[in-house]
Short mmCIF file of all heavy atoms in Angstrom, two decimals:
data_model
loop_
_atom_site.label_atom_id
_atom_site.label_comp_id
_atom_site.label_asym_id
_atom_site.label_seq_id
_atom_site.Cartn_x
_atom_site.Cartn_y
_atom_site.Cartn_z
N PRO H 49 -25.82 14.66 -1.79
CA PRO H 49 -26.21 13.93 -3.01
C PRO H 49 -26.82 14.74 -4.13
O PRO H 49 -26.71 14.46 -5.30
CB PRO H 49 -27.15 12.83 -2.45
CG PRO H 49 -26.82 12.70 -1.04
CD PRO H 49 -26.36 14.10 -0.56
N ASP H 50 -27.56 15.82 -3.72
CA ASP H 50 -28.25 16.62 -4.66
C ASP H 50 -27.39 17.64 -5.32
O ASP H 50 -27.67 18.07 -6.46
CB ASP H 50 -29.51 17.27 -4.03
CG ASP H 50 -30.49 16.36 -3.56
OD1 ASP H 50 -30.64 15.23 -4.19
OD2 ASP H 50 -31.23 16.60 -2.57
N ILE H 51 -26.38 18.09 -4.65
CA ILE H 51 -25.46 19.10 -5.18
C ILE H 51 -24.16 18.58 -5.63
O ILE H 51 -23.63 18.93 -6.70
CB ILE H 51 -25.22 20.26 -4.12
CG1 ILE H 51 -26.53 20.83 -3.64
CG2 ILE H 51 -24.25 21.28 -4.59
CD1 ILE H 51 -26.44 21.81 -2.52
N LEU H 52 -23.60 17.64 -4.85
CA LEU H 52 -22.28 17.01 -5.23
C LEU H 52 -22.45 15.49 -5.27
O LEU H 52 -21.95 14.78 -4.43
CB LEU H 52 -21.23 17.36 -4.22
CG LEU H 52 -20.90 18.91 -4.12
CD1 LEU H 52 -19.93 19.12 -2.92
CD2 LEU H 52 -20.19 19.33 -5.41
N PRO H 53 -23.26 14.99 -6.25
CA PRO H 53 -23.50 13.57 -6.25
C PRO H 53 -22.24 12.77 -6.52
O PRO H 53 -21.36 13.15 -7.35
CB PRO H 53 -24.48 13.39 -7.47
CG PRO H 53 -24.21 14.56 -8.24
CD PRO H 53 -23.89 15.71 -7.33
N GLY H 54 -22.07 11.68 -5.77
CA GLY H 54 -20.92 10.85 -5.93
C GLY H 54 -19.67 11.13 -5.07
O GLY H 54 -18.81 10.37 -4.94
N LEU H 55 -19.73 12.35 -4.42
CA LEU H 55 -18.59 12.70 -3.57
C LEU H 55 -18.82 12.21 -2.14
O LEU H 55 -19.88 12.56 -1.51
CB LEU H 55 -18.35 14.17 -3.59
CG LEU H 55 -17.11 14.71 -2.84
CD1 LEU H 55 -15.86 14.20 -3.50
CD2 LEU H 55 -17.13 16.25 -2.81
N SER H 56 -17.92 11.44 -1.56
CA SER H 56 -18.11 10.89 -0.25
C SER H 56 -16.86 10.92 0.63
O SER H 56 -15.73 10.86 0.11
CB SER H 56 -18.73 9.47 -0.31
OG SER H 56 -17.74 8.60 -0.83
N LEU H 57 -17.10 11.00 1.92
CA LEU H 57 -16.00 10.82 2.87
C LEU H 57 -16.19 9.46 3.49
O LEU H 57 -17.38 8.96 3.62
CB LEU H 57 -16.11 11.89 3.96
CG LEU H 57 -15.99 13.36 3.46
CD1 LEU H 57 -16.13 14.29 4.67
CD2 LEU H 57 -14.65 13.58 2.76
N LYS H 58 -15.13 8.79 3.90
CA LYS H 58 -15.22 7.47 4.48
C LYS H 58 -14.22 7.29 5.64
O LYS H 58 -13.18 7.86 5.73
CB LYS H 58 -14.98 6.42 3.42
CG LYS H 58 -13.64 6.52 2.69
CD LYS H 58 -13.57 5.55 1.51
CE LYS H 58 -14.57 5.81 0.55
NZ LYS H 58 -14.68 4.78 -0.54
N THR H 59 -14.67 6.48 6.58
CA THR H 59 -13.81 6.04 7.69
C THR H 59 -14.31 4.71 8.21
O THR H 59 -15.35 4.29 7.89
CB THR H 59 -13.78 7.11 8.80
OG1 THR H 59 -12.78 6.75 9.75
CG2 THR H 59 -15.09 7.23 9.43
N GLY H 60 -13.48 4.12 9.09
CA GLY H 60 -13.87 2.79 9.63
C GLY H 60 -12.66 2.16 10.28
O GLY H 60 -11.85 2.81 10.93
N VAL H 61 -12.53 0.85 10.09
CA VAL H 61 -11.45 0.09 10.59
C VAL H 61 -10.98 -0.87 9.50
O VAL H 61 -11.72 -1.32 8.68
CB VAL H 61 -11.79 -0.64 11.87
CG1 VAL H 61 -12.93 -1.71 11.60
CG2 VAL H 61 -10.62 -1.36 12.58
N GLN H 62 -9.67 -1.15 9.54
CA GLN H 62 -9.08 -2.07 8.55
C GLN H 62 -8.26 -3.16 9.27
O GLN H 62 -7.39 -2.80 10.13
CB GLN H 62 -8.17 -1.33 7.55
CG GLN H 62 -7.56 -2.25 6.51
CD GLN H 62 -6.96 -1.46 5.36
OE1 GLN H 62 -7.69 -0.98 4.49
NE2 GLN H 62 -5.62 -1.40 5.33
N LEU H 63 -8.60 -4.38 8.99
CA LEU H 63 -7.85 -5.50 9.64
C LEU H 63 -6.94 -6.13 8.57
O LEU H 63 -7.43 -6.53 7.49
CB LEU H 63 -8.83 -6.55 10.10
CG LEU H 63 -9.94 -6.04 11.05
CD1 LEU H 63 -10.91 -7.12 11.41
CD2 LEU H 63 -9.31 -5.41 12.31
N GLY H 64 -5.65 -6.14 8.82
CA GLY H 64 -4.71 -6.64 7.89
C GLY H 64 -3.94 -7.84 8.39
O GLY H 64 -3.74 -8.03 9.62
N TYR H 65 -3.56 -8.68 7.47
CA TYR H 65 -2.77 -9.89 7.81
C TYR H 65 -1.46 -9.86 6.95
O TYR H 65 -1.56 -9.74 5.76
CB TYR H 65 -3.52 -11.14 7.53
CG TYR H 65 -2.77 -12.43 7.90
CD1 TYR H 65 -2.62 -12.82 9.19
CD2 TYR H 65 -2.14 -13.21 6.93
CE1 TYR H 65 -1.99 -13.98 9.56
CE2 TYR H 65 -1.42 -14.35 7.20
CZ TYR H 65 -1.36 -14.75 8.54
OH TYR H 65 -0.60 -15.84 8.87
N LEU H 66 -0.34 -10.01 7.63
CA LEU H 66 0.97 -9.96 6.94
C LEU H 66 1.22 -11.30 6.30
O LEU H 66 1.40 -12.30 6.95
CB LEU H 66 2.05 -9.61 7.96
CG LEU H 66 3.50 -9.54 7.36
CD1 LEU H 66 3.61 -8.40 6.36
CD2 LEU H 66 4.50 -9.32 8.50
N LEU H 67 1.25 -11.30 4.96
CA LEU H 67 1.49 -12.57 4.20
C LEU H 67 2.95 -12.87 4.25
O LEU H 67 3.38 -14.02 4.36
CB LEU H 67 1.04 -12.41 2.76
CG LEU H 67 -0.46 -12.08 2.57
CD1 LEU H 67 -0.76 -11.82 1.10
CD2 LEU H 67 -1.29 -13.29 3.08
N GLN H 68 3.80 -11.88 3.97
CA GLN H 68 5.24 -12.07 3.90
C GLN H 68 5.94 -10.72 4.06
O GLN H 68 5.46 -9.68 3.74
CB GLN H 68 5.61 -12.71 2.62
CG GLN H 68 7.04 -13.17 2.48
CD GLN H 68 7.39 -13.88 1.17
OE1 GLN H 68 7.22 -13.26 0.14
NE2 GLN H 68 7.79 -15.13 1.23
N SER H 69 7.14 -10.81 4.64
CA SER H 69 7.98 -9.65 4.78
C SER H 69 9.41 -9.98 4.24
O SER H 69 9.94 -11.00 4.49
CB SER H 69 8.09 -9.21 6.26
OG SER H 69 9.05 -8.17 6.46
N LYS H 70 9.98 -9.00 3.50
CA LYS H 70 11.33 -9.15 2.94
C LYS H 70 12.12 -7.92 3.15
O LYS H 70 11.61 -6.79 3.06
CB LYS H 70 11.26 -9.52 1.45
CG LYS H 70 10.66 -10.89 1.12
CD LYS H 70 10.74 -11.21 -0.35
CE LYS H 70 10.22 -12.60 -0.57
NZ LYS H 70 10.32 -12.93 -2.05
N GLU H 71 13.42 -8.07 3.37
CA GLU H 71 14.34 -6.99 3.48
C GLU H 71 15.44 -7.11 2.42
O GLU H 71 15.86 -8.23 2.11
CB GLU H 71 14.95 -6.78 4.85
CG GLU H 71 15.85 -7.96 5.32
CD GLU H 71 16.55 -7.64 6.67
OE1 GLU H 71 16.43 -6.53 7.09
OE2 GLU H 71 17.14 -8.56 7.18
N THR H 72 15.82 -5.99 1.86
CA THR H 72 16.93 -5.99 0.85
C THR H 72 18.05 -5.15 1.34
O THR H 72 17.84 -3.94 1.61
CB THR H 72 16.37 -5.41 -0.54
OG1 THR H 72 15.30 -6.28 -0.96
CG2 THR H 72 17.55 -5.50 -1.55
N LEU H 73 19.23 -5.65 1.41
CA LEU H 73 20.39 -5.02 1.94
C LEU H 73 21.61 -5.40 1.07
O LEU H 73 21.85 -6.60 0.83
CB LEU H 73 20.66 -5.34 3.39
CG LEU H 73 21.84 -4.56 4.06
CD1 LEU H 73 21.55 -3.10 4.09
CD2 LEU H 73 22.02 -5.17 5.48
N MET H 74 22.34 -4.44 0.51
CA MET H 74 23.47 -4.69 -0.36
C MET H 74 23.10 -5.55 -1.53
O MET H 74 23.84 -6.37 -2.00
CB MET H 74 24.63 -5.32 0.46
CG MET H 74 25.16 -4.50 1.56
SD MET H 74 26.56 -5.25 2.45
CE MET H 74 27.82 -5.30 1.11
N GLY H 75 21.82 -5.37 -2.03
CA GLY H 75 21.39 -6.06 -3.24
C GLY H 75 20.95 -7.55 -2.94
O GLY H 75 20.55 -8.24 -3.87
N VAL H 76 20.97 -7.92 -1.65
CA VAL H 76 20.52 -9.30 -1.29
C VAL H 76 19.22 -9.24 -0.54
O VAL H 76 19.04 -8.48 0.38
CB VAL H 76 21.58 -9.93 -0.34
CG1 VAL H 76 21.13 -11.36 -0.01
CG2 VAL H 76 22.96 -10.06 -1.11
N THR H 77 18.22 -10.00 -1.01
CA THR H 77 16.89 -10.03 -0.43
C THR H 77 16.70 -11.23 0.43
O THR H 77 16.97 -12.40 0.02
CB THR H 77 15.83 -9.93 -1.54
OG1 THR H 77 15.98 -8.78 -2.26
CG2 THR H 77 14.45 -9.94 -0.88
N ASN H 78 16.24 -11.06 1.68
CA ASN H 78 15.97 -12.17 2.56
C ASN H 78 14.57 -11.99 3.22
O ASN H 78 14.04 -10.91 3.38
CB ASN H 78 16.97 -12.22 3.71
CG ASN H 78 18.44 -12.50 3.25
OD1 ASN H 78 18.65 -13.54 2.68
ND2 ASN H 78 19.31 -11.57 3.49
N THR H 79 13.95 -13.14 3.55
CA THR H 79 12.65 -13.10 4.20
C THR H 79 12.86 -12.98 5.67
O THR H 79 13.67 -13.63 6.29
CB THR H 79 11.89 -14.45 3.92
OG1 THR H 79 11.68 -14.61 2.52
CG2 THR H 79 10.52 -14.45 4.60
N ASN H 80 12.13 -11.94 6.25
CA ASN H 80 12.23 -11.70 7.66
C ASN H 80 10.85 -11.56 8.36
O ASN H 80 10.62 -10.69 9.23
CB ASN H 80 13.13 -10.49 8.00
CG ASN H 80 12.49 -9.21 7.44
OD1 ASN H 80 11.59 -9.25 6.47
ND2 ASN H 80 12.86 -8.07 7.91
N THR H 81 9.88 -12.40 7.94
CA THR H 81 8.51 -12.27 8.36
C THR H 81 8.44 -12.53 9.88
O THR H 81 7.63 -11.94 10.57
CB THR H 81 7.68 -13.38 7.69
OG1 THR H 81 7.87 -13.21 6.21
CG2 THR H 81 6.20 -13.19 7.96
N ASP H 82 9.31 -13.35 10.43
CA ASP H 82 9.29 -13.67 11.91
C ASP H 82 9.56 -12.45 12.73
O ASP H 82 9.30 -12.47 13.99
CB ASP H 82 10.25 -14.74 12.23
CG ASP H 82 9.80 -16.15 11.68
OD1 ASP H 82 8.64 -16.27 11.30
OD2 ASP H 82 10.65 -17.07 11.54
N SER H 83 10.18 -11.37 12.11
CA SER H 83 10.48 -10.16 12.89
C SER H 83 9.20 -9.28 13.10
O SER H 83 9.32 -8.24 13.75
CB SER H 83 11.58 -9.42 12.26
OG SER H 83 12.76 -10.13 12.19
N PHE H 84 8.09 -9.68 12.50
CA PHE H 84 6.85 -8.84 12.54
C PHE H 84 5.70 -9.69 13.08
O PHE H 84 5.61 -10.89 12.84
CB PHE H 84 6.52 -8.33 11.12
CG PHE H 84 7.48 -7.38 10.56
CD1 PHE H 84 8.66 -7.83 9.92
CD2 PHE H 84 7.31 -6.03 10.62
CE1 PHE H 84 9.57 -6.93 9.39
CE2 PHE H 84 8.18 -5.14 10.11
CZ PHE H 84 9.30 -5.54 9.52
N HIS H 85 4.81 -8.97 13.82
CA HIS H 85 3.54 -9.55 14.13
C HIS H 85 2.65 -9.57 12.90
O HIS H 85 2.76 -8.77 12.03
CB HIS H 85 2.80 -8.69 15.18
CG HIS H 85 3.47 -8.80 16.51
ND1 HIS H 85 3.61 -9.89 17.28
CD2 HIS H 85 4.03 -7.78 17.33
CE1 HIS H 85 4.24 -9.62 18.43
NE2 HIS H 85 4.54 -8.34 18.45
#
């Protein structure tokens, strides 16, 4: 803090929730959320 104020390293854990999943093939987009946890 005294020499390099504001510079920090960080780590921890991140919990994510999949709202929606979509795949696009041959220009057609479909929802495939059920294929993912």
Side-chain angles (χ1 to χ4, degrees):
D50 295 329
I51 301 175
L52 297 171
L55 185 64
S56 66
L57 302 177
K58 57 185 62 185
T59 188
V61 64
Q62 179 166 285
L63 306 176
Y65 181 78
L66 181 62
L67 300 173
Q68 189 179 59
S69 171
K70 293 184 177 182
E71 64 174 351
T72 301
L73 185 61
M74 298 182 66
V76 178
T77 301
N78 295 301
T79 300
N80 63 340
T81 309
D82 292 341
S83 296
F84 293 83
H85 291 296

